[in-house]
Amino acid sequence: MVNFTVAICTYNGENRIVDVLGKLRSQIATEEISWEILIIDNNSTDKTAEVVKEQIPNWSEVYPLKYCFENEQGLAFARRCASREAKSDLIGFLDDDNLPYPNWVAEAYKFGQTHVEPGDYGG
């Protein structure tokens, strides 16, 4: 079971997404959390799909990395796609230009555990 989903909605993020993934690779205090990363490509016209798909075979982390495509443009459509694809009831959204602190996943998960009203949230 997945406890937490990190969803990154992106449009033409080929030059930004690898940096965000690098920061997610170096998260701390996540040993007790089962989590995943979803990249929601919001109908990009650049090489976002290629860049993300190149990362997946080399992704050796215990938390999976998944690419999803949403052809309806707009953040609301991308977030709905993330909500459909997430394997967790808790979804933390990051923009493709957000570089999370090393403890972001642990803190976002903890927030979700103590504030049970929202299911999706960003930081």
Side-chain angles (χ1 to χ4, degrees), residues 26-113:
S26 61
Q27 291 293 295
I28 59 171
T30 60
E31 298 79 17
E32 303 297 320
I33 304 169
S34 173
W35 59 293
E36 67 178 345
I37 301 170
L38 300 180
I39 307 292
I40 311 300
D41 180 352
N42 198 201
N43 204 15
S44 296
T45 57
D46 67 356
K47 295 181 181 181
T48 296
E50 293 168 40
V51 168
V52 174
K53 289 177 180 178
E54 286 174 3
Q55 295 290 313
I56 293 172
N58 302 320
W59 196 259
S60 60
E61 276 56 61
V62 296
Y63 43 93
L65 171 63
K66 181 179 175 187
Y67 171 85
C68 303
F69 181 79
E70 173 53 55
N71 66 335
E72 289 285 336
Q73 290 212 303
L75 187 56
F77 294 109
R79 287 187 173 170
R80 274 191 224 129
C81 177
S83 294
R84 282 192 309 269
E85 295 292 327
K87 292 183 180 173
S88 171
D89 291 336
L90 293 176
I91 303 171
F93 286 100
L94 285 174
D95 290 337
D96 64 6
D97 61 350
N98 291 149
L99 299 176
Y101 284 108
N103 64 339
W104 186 85
V105 168
E107 290 299 315
Y109 176 72
K110 185 167 54 172
F111 175 87
Q113 296 299 298

